[in-house]
Amino acid sequence: MPQEKSGTEYDDAARNSRQSRQNIASVPAIEIKDLTIHREGQTVLDKVSLKIEEGQSYAIIGPNGGGKTTLLKSILGLIKPDSGFVKIYGESPAVNRYMLGYVPQFHTFDFSYPISVRDMVLTGRLGHIKGIRRRYSDEDRRCAEEAMKTLGILHLADRTLSDLSGGEQQRAIIARAIVGNPKVLLLDEPTVYVDSPTEEKFHDILVELHKKMTVIMVTHDIGVISSGVDVIACLNVKMFTHYSAEITSDMILNTYKCPVDLIAHGLAHRVLHDHSALESVPEHEHEEDTEISDRDKIRCGCTEHGGGQ
Amino acid sequence: MIDVIAELISAFGYEFFRNALLAGILASTACGIIGSFVVIKRMVSLTGGISHAAFGGVGLGYFLGFSPILGATVFCVATAAIIAKLRHIAHQHLDTLVGAIWAAGMAIGILLVYLTPGFAPDLYGYLFGNILLVPSSEIFFMGALLAAIIAITAIFYNQLLAVTFDEEYATVMNIASDKIIALLLIMTAVTIVMLIQVVGIILTIALLTLPAAIAREFTGRLDRMFYLSTILGIAFTTCGIFLSYTLDVPSGATIILIGAAAYIIALCAKTFCRR
Ligand SMILES: Nc1ncnc2c1ncn2[C@@H]1O[C@H](COP(=O)(O)OP(=O)(O)OP(=O)(O)O)[C@@H](O)[C@H]1O
Ligand SMILES: [Mg+2]
């Protein structure tokens, strides 16, 4: 496998693109450095580093127990790192997490709670509200209606959450995540439990969201990955980052031990051929995330060409 | 029949009877609010732990010669605070811990009552409640506690809702979830103290959960659950007081049996309606 053979052409392209992006946003949306987390004496995340620029979309795949949810929760500041750090727009999660929207892994909380869809979606506004009572303003209510409209559940607004179907509940949860107009949206397997017709619409919704915000998504769903993500990261305690268009089944199978269903879904079609401009670039790059500059290379190349799709 | 009604009407002439009705209304209102959270958050065993720990405080009161209800208040609030602090430990551990507090509280109480020289007056009342013996001073105390619970719930309603629905998300929304949960647990402890007067330590869980559990079957909104379970609680206590007065049977047990019967009827009605 050609690894550290990045051509100079590519290096230049990467540098140019990085410079131009620096003019727009000098701070990355999310920066994680050497994040290590232990739980119950086990290493769940081992020196994970990544940098996600504003506007990028980032897919995280990996086996069950690989630490995907743990990674998202540490970005949210819900799990404290044992070493390393997480920064959201240059600040700690506690300071800037109001900029995030979060869709938890399905059924990790109690859907039978007596609450209307509207009230549930409104709780996503609380991060913006000051004052001891945290009362909702008309603006908050308008945003909630907007979010429910986006997800196509406005007609269900005054129904009780527990009376909704699983897919409708999932839409409500996504509405809650976007109601605060987040800059970064974290989604933990958003399409699990969703039937295929709804899944189609989900992909459209996700494509729309990609346009508006930075998206980090944990998924096993190839449909989602092909709906235009810039970077694919494979997480199995350690993190491996890929240039999205170049991921091959061999890589997944041999190197990263990612779930077999990925391969079954035929990700192998998605190779380099429709990116002829990339000929000088190695067929695929992967590495243990140890050196930042190399990771930057991967990511920059990625957005550049991904953007031209 | 007419005799009974006449007797009940004349009962209103007695202060103790009016006090009993008032105490029932105050405690039921606190139950309507706090019980709803207890049922939704499945904190039933946890509240059992807090209420039984109260007996340790009752025993301490007897032993050291201060008001047993003051001892109960201190023990309840302290237990709630401990649980709030330790609740992040693994769930099965918390369950065991609650069980230990439950039993240890009772054990301390039994031991201290035994060691107290002489006779412990009203001991039976603390265990099984006697609403017909609530003094006027106690009514004002209960009224103040209830006012505090209502005010705090109104002020923190949006945060309480968010935290009890999805604590992690509430934390992401920069709500101090730990503090909100601690507040809820302390309010639960205070409610339990009020309930001990009405139905006694052993039966508090029932009055705290039965009205709310029924209300939950019939509404899908937290605030409506408050109102509905308050009304139900008032109905149970009032009926229970009348019944126990006319039949001359223990009030606490009567109230709870009415509540349990209503719960079973409600469940049957619900299943029947679904068909
Ligand atoms: N609350 C917890 N306490 C202790 N260990 C935990 C806890 N939550 C997760 N773990 C452990 O951390 C590891 C990573 O879990 P995580 O939930 O991040 O995996 P995941 O990649 O999201 O898996 P899945 O695909 O099943 O959602 C697992 O080995 C799990 O056992
Ligand atoms: Mg997970």
Side-chain angles (χ1 to χ4, degrees):
Chain A
M1 260 188 264
Q3 278 196 16
E4 303 296 325
K5 269 206 301 184
S6 332
T8 41
E9 231 181 285
Y10 172 67
D11 274 338
D12 288 341
R15 207 164 295 132
N16 289 341
S17 111
R18 201 183 324 159
Q19 270 160 10
S20 64
R21 190 175 302 104
Q22 267 169 355
N23 297 334
I24 308 161
S26 50
V27 230
I30 303 288
E31 186 184 3
I32 297 177
K33 183 94 172 70
D34 290 337
L35 180 71
T36 302
I37 289 172
H38 306 284
R39 299 195 97 167
E40 317 257 315
Q42 253 185 318
T43 307
V44 176
L45 293 178
D46 184 15
K47 295 210 169 178
V48 171
S49 297
L50 60 83
K51 209 185 266 184
I52 301 170
E53 306 291 343
E54 188 164 273
Q56 268 193 331
S57 59
Y58 212 95
I60 300 170
I61 55 176
N64 294 130
K68 306 180 295 295
T69 302
T70 308
L71 180 66
L72 292 193
K73 284 189 180 174
S74 44
I75 294 174
L76 292 159
L78 294 170
I79 298 176
K80 299 273 168 284
D82 290 311
S83 68
F85 66 79
V86 175
K87 289 219 181 306
I88 303 166
Y89 284 94
E91 293 286 350
S92 72
V95 175
N96 269 353
R97 64 183 162 198
Y98 73 91
M99 296 177 176
L100 307 181
Y102 174 43
V103 177
Q105 200 161 1
F106 202 65
H107 280 315
T108 49
F109 62 92
D110 185 11
F111 274 97
S112 68
Y113 193 98
I115 191 171
S116 70
V117 174
R118 186 189 302 277
D119 288 345
M120 196 278 284
V121 172
L122 270 172
T123 61
R125 295 288 302 174
L126 286 168
H128 295 280
I129 303 173
K130 299 273 176 298
I132 191 163
R133 297 191 64 181
R134 304 248 187 169
R135 293 185 67 182
Y136 301 119
S137 66
D138 290 345
E139 166 76 2
D140 295 324
R141 294 180 186 282
R142 203 187 50 71
C143 287
E145 301 221 328
E146 192 93 346
M148 288 187 283
K149 207 154 142 200
T150 308
L151 273 298
I153 51 165
L154 189 55
H155 61 293
L156 302 171
D158 294 308
R159 295 264 294 274
T160 302
L161 187 66
S162 55
D163 293 347
L164 266 51
S165 74
E168 289 164 344
Q169 287 174 341
Q170 187 68 336
R171 285 157 182 254
I173 294 297
I174 298 178
R176 176 183 70 169
I178 64 168
V179 72
N181 298 320
K183 284 182 182 269
V184 184
L185 185 61
L186 310 180
L187 302 131
D188 201 343
E189 303 197 24
T191 54
V192 177
Y193 295 96
V194 170
D195 61 13
S196 338
T198 321
E199 202 175 312
E200 287 289 301
K201 284 185 224 151
F202 252 73
H203 295 165
D204 297 343
I205 292 167
L206 285 172
V207 170
E208 280 306 303
L209 293 176
H210 283 169
K211 289 180 193 156
K212 288 187 207 151
M213 53 191 86
T214 313
V215 175
I216 305 171
M217 179 164 35
V218 170
T219 185
H220 294 293
D221 179 351
I222 291 311
V224 172
I225 294 179
S226 52
S227 72
V229 292
D230 300 322
V231 183
I232 296 178
C234 231
L235 183 62
N236 189 2
V237 184
K238 288 173 186 283
M239 174 94 114
F240 308 94
T241 319
H242 304 282
Y243 184 5
S244 79
E246 302 175 348
I247 195 161
T248 68
S249 59
D250 280 355
M251 264 166 57
I252 296 172
L253 185 64
N254 296 334
T255 321
Y256 305 115
K257 300 180 185 68
C258 284
V260 181
D261 65 327
L262 271 178
I263 298 151
H265 280 80
L267 200 74
H269 311 317
R270 294 170 38 72
V271 277
L272 200 61
H273 52 77
D274 47 354
H275 291 269
S276 46
L278 283 172
E279 246 136 42
S280 61
V281 184
E283 289 240 328
H284 47 265
E285 279 207 28
H286 63 277
E287 57 179 8
E288 272 186 43
D289 269 355
T290 43
E291 215 191 299
I292 294 179
S293 64
D294 279 350
R295 259 199 342 280
D296 278 357
K297 252 183 269 174
I298 297 162
R299 207 169 19 250
C300 294
C302 171
T303 17
E304 193 175 66
H305 297 284
Q309 271 176 351
Chain B
M1 186 68 198
I2 293 168
D3 284 356
V4 173
I5 293 170
E7 194 187 339
L8 285 178
I9 290 170
S10 71
F12 278 100
Y14 300 115
E15 193 185 357
F16 79 90
F17 196 82
R18 290 196 304 267
N19 280 353
L21 289 176
L22 264 177
I25 290 169
L26 295 174
S28 298
T29 311
C31 272
I33 297 168
I34 300 302
S36 297
F37 285 115
V38 169
V39 167
I40 290 168
K41 281 297 284 176
R42 305 202 175 89
M43 307 193 298
V44 178
S45 74
L46 206 147
T47 27
I50 297 177
S51 62
H52 285 75
F55 193 59
V58 170
L60 196 67
Y62 280 127
F63 187 66
L64 297 179
F66 59 86
S67 154
I69 203 69
L70 183 66
T73 311
V74 171
F75 267 58
C76 282
V77 172
T79 312
I82 290 170
I83 290 172
K85 204 97 214 114
L86 295 182
R87 78 197 170 88
H88 287 301
I89 64 175
H91 182 75
Q92 71 272 24
H93 296 178
L94 185 62
D95 223 33
T96 317
L97 180 82
V98 167
I101 289 176
W102 182 313
M106 289 301 279
I108 292 172
I110 292 167
L111 218 62
L112 289 175
V113 167
Y114 174 79
L115 292 176
T116 306
F119 174 68
D122 303 335
L123 181 60
Y124 192 82
Y126 288 113
L127 281 173
F128 303 103
N130 196 345
I131 199 169
L132 296 172
L133 290 182
V134 179
S136 296
S137 60
E138 205 64 56
I139 297 289
F140 287 111
F141 181 58
M142 289 174 79
L145 291 182
L146 177 63
I149 288 172
I150 291 175
I152 290 170
T153 308
I155 290 169
F156 292 97
Y157 183 76
N158 281 345
Q159 296 185 63
L160 281 164
L161 185 81
V163 171
T164 51
F165 172 63
D166 183 350
E167 195 180 328
E168 282 192 337
Y169 208 87
T171 309
V172 174
M173 294 289 108
N174 281 331
I175 291 173
S177 299
D178 277 332
K179 286 184 188 149
I180 295 289
I181 293 281
L183 192 65
L184 180 58
L185 285 171
I186 305 255
M187 288 201 290
T188 308
V190 168
T191 306
I192 287 170
V193 172
M194 292 171 69
L195 288 181
I196 289 175
Q197 313 275 303
V198 180
V199 290
I201 287 170
I202 312 280
L203 300 175
T204 21
I205 316 181
L207 193 53
L208 203 51
T209 54
L210 285 174
I214 297 172
R216 180 172 196 171
E217 295 297 320
F218 295 98
T219 178
R221 299 288 179 282
L222 181 60
D223 50 353
R224 287 183 212 156
M225 241 179 111
F226 290 168
Y227 302 129
L228 191 52
S229 49
T230 300
I231 292 169
L232 287 169
I234 291 175
F236 299 162
T237 46
T238 310
C239 292
I241 290 164
F242 279 124
L243 261 185
S244 72
Y245 180 74
T246 45
L247 301 178
D248 197 21
V249 288
S251 55
T254 313
I255 292 168
I256 297 306
L257 282 178
I258 291 171
Y263 182 60
I264 291 164
I265 292 168
L267 284 187
C268 292
K270 188 92 195 269
T271 355
F272 189 73
C273 288
R274 279 230 186 88
R275 291 228 183 105

